[in-house]
Amino acid sequence: MPDIEQICRGDVVTAGHLRDVLDRVGDKWSMLVISLLEHGPRRYGQLATDIPGISQRMLTVTLQRLERDGLVTRTSYPEIPPRVEYALSPLGASLQEPISALAQWAYAHKDEFLASRDRYDAKA
Amino acid sequence: MPDIEQICRGDVVTAGHLRDVLDRVGDKWSMLVISLLEHGPRRYGQLATDIPGISQRMLTVTLQRLERDGLVTRTSYPEIPPRVEYALSPLGASLQEPISALAQWAYAHKDEFLASRDRYDAKA
DNA sequence: CGGAATCCACAACGATACTG
DNA sequence: CAGTATCGTTGTGGATTCCG
């Protein structure tokens, strides 16, 4: 069972597994999409409205990347009008746990965050 | 105790706490620096050699951002030659736990990751 | 409805040179 | 030693338009 030290040591430092996962889900929307899919399958349009501010393009490419890495599944129903559902794969569902840990840390410490920043900026 | 649903709902979706923390430590080097500082204070030059591939500039700006957000403390000793030590603050140390969770997830599932990607790319 | 294609702006990043 | 300054490159994300 590896710890951070093991992960960030030797010839795998820069290309460590931490880097890998951040490169995949560290972008602007991936974790948000995963969080929303946690509650069950969603259609493309649903996600578009549930994530204010996201563009069609970014929703599309984000979903494609997540599907490519096996985190979400895409199911297309050949109807008219077309219907496409996205859902978390087991792999994606397992990722939701560490993501939740990160989100809860952010929620718990948001005040310290802002306070420190204000102090820093006040001196500059 | 908030869960993901609470965090990603309503008018705080795009500016959710998850977004906040990702904006700070989701960049290329921050989590790596935090991981290294976990073992104790490190000097600037030590970090530079312990993180192969990082440029002086990126190490500097990464450390400044981490200090600004209160995750890292900077201690300068007025000697010749100058000596500067960076260490995790209590806040930064508390962040190491969710980061570790993410890293361990990455380590545990790296094979599924790559396999899914290969399958996807083979069809394209 | 669920995209794909194109173009563009900006910020992140890297390399290099210089400094107290 | 521990940075700062400047420049060039790259990648990410947004706006718009078009298609099955």
Side-chain angles (χ1 to χ4, degrees):
Chain A
M1 196 55 56
D3 63 354
I4 286 282
E5 182 173 13
Q6 182 172 351
I7 288 167
C8 296
R9 192 180 51 198
D11 53 352
V12 287
V13 174
T14 53
H17 310 300
L18 187 53
R19 273 259 52 82
D20 288 342
V21 66
L22 282 179
D23 287 344
R24 311 303 154 203
V25 299
D27 61 11
K28 193 166 183 178
W29 304 108
S30 289
M31 287 202 189
L32 223 44
V33 170
I34 292 174
S35 299
L36 288 177
L37 290 181
E38 175 192 8
H39 313 303
R42 291 287 185 276
R43 297 182 58 177
Y44 181 91
Q46 278 183 295
L47 292 171
T49 56
D50 286 351
I51 308 178
I54 196 172
S55 64
Q56 287 193 349
R57 176 186 187 283
M58 286 320 297
L59 180 55
T60 299
V61 303
T62 299
L63 288 169
Q64 285 173 346
R65 284 201 287 239
L66 291 174
E67 187 198 3
R68 178 175 186 244
D69 292 332
L71 297 174
V72 309
T73 60
R74 190 193 113 115
T75 310
S76 172
Y77 298 91
E79 309 167 352
I80 296 178
R83 180 165 61 98
V84 178
E85 276 192 353
Y86 293 91
L88 279 188
S89 70
L91 185 61
S94 73
L95 181 56
Q96 183 275 324
E97 199 165 335
I99 289 180
S100 177
L102 211 55
Q104 296 199 17
W105 181 94
Y107 181 84
H109 298 284
K110 57 181 163 56
D111 294 335
E112 309 174 53
F113 234 89
L114 294 173
S116 171
R117 169 163 307 198
D118 289 344
R119 275 196 307 275
Y120 190 95
D121 292 347
K123 290 186 296 186
Chain B
M1 195 57 57
D3 63 353
I4 286 285
E5 180 173 15
Q6 182 173 352
I7 288 166
C8 297
R9 191 180 51 199
D11 52 352
V12 286
V13 174
T14 52
H17 310 298
L18 188 52
R19 273 258 52 81
D20 289 342
V21 66
L22 281 179
D23 286 344
R24 309 304 153 203
V25 299
D27 62 11
K28 194 166 182 178
W29 303 107
S30 289
M31 286 202 189
L32 223 43
V33 170
I34 292 175
S35 299
L36 288 178
L37 289 182
E38 175 192 7
H39 313 304
R42 291 288 185 274
R43 298 180 58 175
Y44 182 91
Q46 278 183 296
L47 292 171
T49 57
D50 286 352
I51 308 178
I54 196 172
S55 63
Q56 288 194 345
R57 173 181 138 77
M58 286 319 296
L59 180 55
T60 298
V61 303
T62 299
L63 288 169
Q64 285 175 346
R65 283 201 289 243
L66 292 175
E67 186 196 2
R68 178 177 186 241
D69 292 332
L71 298 173
V72 160
T73 60
R74 191 194 112 114
T75 310
S76 172
Y77 299 91
E79 308 168 353
I80 294 178
R83 180 165 60 99
V84 178
E85 276 193 355
Y86 293 91
L88 279 188
S89 71
L91 185 62
S94 73
L95 180 56
Q96 183 273 327
E97 198 165 337
I99 288 180
S100 176
L102 210 56
Q104 297 199 17
W105 182 94
Y107 181 84
H109 298 284
K110 57 181 163 57
D111 294 336
E112 309 173 53
F113 235 91
L114 293 174
S116 172
R117 168 162 308 197
D118 289 344
R119 276 196 306 276
Y120 190 96
D121 292 347
K123 290 186 296 188

